[in-house]
Amino acid sequence: MKSFRRELYFEIPTRRAFVNITGQVAECVRESGVEEGLVLVNAMHITASVFINDDEPGLHADYEKWLEKLAPHEPVSQYRHNVGEDNADAHMKRQIMGREVVVAITEGQLDLGTWEQIFYGEFDGRRKKRALVKIIGE
Ligand code: ZN
C-alpha cells in the first residue's frame, strides 16, 4: 500500500473566505502515484473547515449570510468562549461546515461528482493556518 502526506498552508487576509483547493488536492493525488484509493483532506484548526460543494459565488454569498444568521460574529460579548479572543462564532461555523472530506481515487483521478469541488473554509483568518492531505491506496 502507498501512503502520502502533505500540509497545505493558507494565510487568508480576511476573517472569512472560501478557497477552492481541488487543484491542489488533485496535484497531491498525482504526486502520490495512487491509482485506486482514498484521499482525506481535513482542516488542522478548530476555526476552519474543509467541505465539498459547488464553486458558485452566489452560493458562497448565501453560505456567508446563512452562517452569520446561525452564529453572528457581533456582538462578540454574546459568547462565553470570547474571553481574551473573539472567535466563538468561527468555532460554530466550522462545526456546521465540517472538519474534513474523503474522496475516492479511481484510475489516478479524484472521483468527484459533476459539480463537486473541494473548499477550505476560513472563519478566523489573518494568520497562517493549514490543512492536511492524506492519501492511501495502491
Ligand atoms: Zn477560540
Side-chain angles (χ1 to χ4, degrees):
M1 190 195 74
K2 287 178 186 163
S3 126
F4 176 98
R5 181 187 190 279
R6 175 154 304 156
E7 292 179 5
L8 306 179
Y9 287 90
F10 304 92
E11 195 148 9
I12 309 287
T14 51
R15 183 179 287 274
R16 286 187 293 277
F18 298 130
V19 181
N20 188 331
I21 58 169
T22 313
Q24 289 175 77
V25 177
E27 176 59 23
C28 290
V29 170
R30 198 190 60 73
E31 279 184 45
S32 75
V34 169
E35 290 289 318
E36 297 295 324
L38 294 171
V39 53
L40 163 79
V41 188
N42 67 267
M44 297 186 89
H45 298 266
I46 50 181
T47 53
S49 289
V50 173
F51 64 95
I52 291 179
N53 219 299
D54 196 1
D55 195 356
E56 197 280 305
L59 177 66
H60 295 183
D62 291 339
Y63 275 145
E64 169 67 15
K65 198 172 155 190
W66 177 64
L67 290 167
E68 267 305 292
K69 221 180 277 177
L70 289 169
H73 177 66
E74 301 277 356
V76 296
S77 61
Q78 73 190 302
Y79 298 106
R80 292 176 64 180
H81 175 66
N82 284 345
V83 179
E85 59 180 356
D86 67 352
N87 66 3
D89 68 304
H91 290 275
M92 292 173 186
K93 286 164 176 149
R94 175 261 168 83
Q95 204 69 37
I96 286 171
M97 297 305 280
R99 171 182 182 264
E100 78 277 306
V101 300
V102 177
V103 180
I105 300 166
T106 304
E107 295 177 355
Q109 307 280 324
L110 289 172
D111 204 343
L112 290 166
T114 308
W115 298 104
E116 286 190 322
Q117 294 285 295
I118 307 167
F119 292 90
Y120 172 76
E122 179 60 82
F123 305 114
D124 187 24
R126 299 174 298 188
R127 57 200 167 99
K128 197 172 184 186
K129 291 167 84 166
R130 62 207 164 108
L132 176 70
V133 179
K134 180 84 181 193
I135 298 168
I136 55 169
E138 51 189 19

